[in-house]
Amino acid sequence: MPESGHTWRKAFKGIPEEARNVRVWTAGRLGHPDAPLIANELFAAVLGARPDSIEMTLSTAGTRIRIAAHGFVPLSFLQIHGPGVILIGQLANASGVSEDDQTLWALFGEES
């Protein structure tokens, strides 16, 4: 039987005040307790590149959750390897950056 899931996308302004809206939006769609924190850290890391907007994507498939933050500008070494990304790496089963260096993502919620 194939896994069913959902995907939500929303663009947020590239300003620090939007981080709270990202957490609230994520919590309203995903029941995982770490989801708002992971979304916040992805948003904050991409925010460091100073994009005009950041598109957040939440996807589910079975027990898996994927959150991505796309900033439409290349991310620097600090955004890709900074403290927030280290925290994401501790909470997620897998995380990374897109080939174009514009998107950070995290996959978590998988059964061990």
Side-chain angles (χ1 to χ4, degrees):
M1 176 186 283
E3 293 179 313
S4 62
H6 298 343
T7 297
W8 300 271
R9 283 188 181 87
K10 185 171 180 177
F12 294 87
K13 293 178 185 175
I15 58 175
E17 294 81 8
E18 286 282 68
R20 180 184 182 284
N21 295 330
V22 168
R23 291 189 306 272
V24 169
W25 179 73
T26 301
R29 281 150 189 80
L30 302 174
H32 194 285
D34 293 334
L37 175 58
I38 291 171
N40 182 78
E41 293 303 322
L42 289 168
F43 179 84
V46 172
L47 185 63
R50 299 181 189 256
D52 291 331
S53 66
I54 299 172
E55 183 179 83
M56 298 298 297
T57 304
L58 312 175
S59 300
T60 64
T63 60
R64 293 184 307 273
I65 298 169
R66 184 178 187 273
I67 300 178
H70 181 73
F72 304 97
V73 295
L75 302 172
S76 72
F77 182 83
L78 182 59
Q79 278 87 47
I80 295 171
H81 299 286
V85 177
I86 293 169
L87 177 62
I88 292 164
Q90 296 298 312
L91 295 172
N93 297 87
S95 61
V97 62
S98 63
E99 288 185 20
D100 64 3
D101 289 337
Q102 295 183 6
T103 304
L104 292 176
W105 57 269
L107 178 66
F108 60 102
E110 295 178 307
E111 295 177 6
S112 300

